[in-house]
């Protein structure tokens, strides 16, 4: 176990339900193994209901909510996917503002699968090169991003480092790139 992220706190922004469980748990574990402290941020307190595609998975305790937290408490942000998760988040102004604040502050962000929908709503993908679940490519292009079909994309052409990946199969590369971006 390395201590590359020792002293760092990483926000994981998720809706109360609909997060793809493995896209939450694997990056979470990677942050912990690198010595960082992951914290689950949501729009409601209580427990988050994760999913394994369309089937209910485990529940996870929410550490804090977007209405009482801001980017100053964190060093980086992870946006897991799942179809329902980012679709819910992008309709919540406080969740969108929370995600956008990391870009405004120049802090690294890692996003996977359908997660970029929240970033489209925050209007922070313009001019950025990124990847996602293939069905989001038109949304990302329409929002001004340069969409690529790659396992992991690291974009530093903006106010922060933006790490993106397509799907659960990309998690190993995604986790490595996210931890590397978070330690800078």
């Amino acid at each position: 176990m390395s201590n590359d992220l020792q002293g760092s706190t990483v926000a994981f922004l998720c809706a109360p339900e609909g997060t793809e469980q493995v896209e939450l748990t694997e990056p979470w574990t990677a942050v912990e193994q690198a010595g960082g402290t992951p914290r689950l941020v949501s729009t409601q307190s209580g427990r988050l209901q994760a999913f394994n595609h369309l089937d209910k998975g485990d529940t996870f305790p929410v550490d804090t909510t977007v209405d009482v937290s801001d980017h100053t408490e964190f060093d980086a942000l992870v946006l897991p996917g799942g179809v329902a998760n980012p679709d819910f988040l992008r309709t919540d102004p406080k969740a969108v503002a929370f995600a956008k604040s990391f870009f405004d502050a120049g802090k690294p962000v890692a996003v996977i699968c359908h997660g970029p929908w929240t970033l489209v709503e925050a209007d922070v993908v313009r001019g950025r090169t990124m990847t996602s679940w293939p069905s989001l490519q038109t949304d990302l292009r329409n929002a001004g991003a340069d969409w690529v079909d790659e396992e992991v994309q690291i974009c530093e052409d903006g106010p922060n480092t933006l790490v993106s990946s397509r799907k659960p199969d990309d998690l190993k590369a995604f986790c490595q790139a996210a931890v590397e971006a978070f330690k800078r």
Side-chain angles (χ1 to χ4, degrees):
M1 177 166 118
S2 74
N3 285 322
D4 291 340
L5 298 181
Q6 190 69 39
S8 295
T9 303
V10 179
F12 282 71
L13 178 59
C14 298
E17 65 179 349
T19 299
E20 186 67 28
Q21 184 164 317
V22 71
E23 293 174 1
L24 169 63
T25 58
E26 286 199 22
W28 185 283
T29 299
V31 167
E32 286 181 325
Q33 288 177 343
T37 303
R39 295 198 67 221
L40 188 54
V41 182
S42 191
T43 58
Q44 296 175 11
S45 60
R47 295 189 72 83
L48 173 151
Q49 174 65 64
F51 279 74
N52 298 310
H53 190 53
L54 299 176
D55 298 322
K56 283 187 175 180
D58 298 324
T59 64
F60 299 89
V62 172
D63 293 308
T64 189
T65 59
V66 294
D67 58 338
V68 297
S69 296
D70 65 39
H71 73 84
T72 62
E73 302 168 50
F74 305 99
D75 300 291
L77 172 66
V78 175
L79 291 161
V83 178
N85 173 46
D87 195 46
F88 177 87
L89 291 175
R90 69 181 175 165
T91 65
D92 186 298
K94 290 180 181 175
V96 172
F98 182 79
K100 184 180 186 309
S101 71
F102 284 80
F103 288 79
D104 294 343
K107 294 183 177 183
V109 173
V111 61
I112 188 167
C113 197
H114 289 78
W117 268 339
T118 305
L119 301 182
V120 167
E121 192 63 32
D123 193 25
V124 294
V125 301
R126 190 171 319 281
R128 306 305 296 266
T129 301
M130 57 190 306
T131 192
S132 68
W133 185 256
S135 65
L136 273 68
Q137 65 181 296
T138 299
D139 297 330
L140 285 165
R141 286 181 177 135
N142 287 343
D146 178 21
W147 187 87
V148 295
D149 185 12
E150 296 176 3
E151 181 179 51
V152 67
Q153 176 62 44
I154 302 163
C155 179
E156 295 178 332
D157 295 330
N160 64 341
T161 301
L162 176 59
V163 176
S164 57
S165 283
R166 303 169 299 189
K167 56 190 174 184
D169 289 347
D170 300 338
L171 276 165
K172 182 176 181 182
F174 176 73
C175 292
Q176 289 174 333
V179 167
E180 185 66 28
F182 295 170
K183 71 179 186 180
R184 295 184 183 148

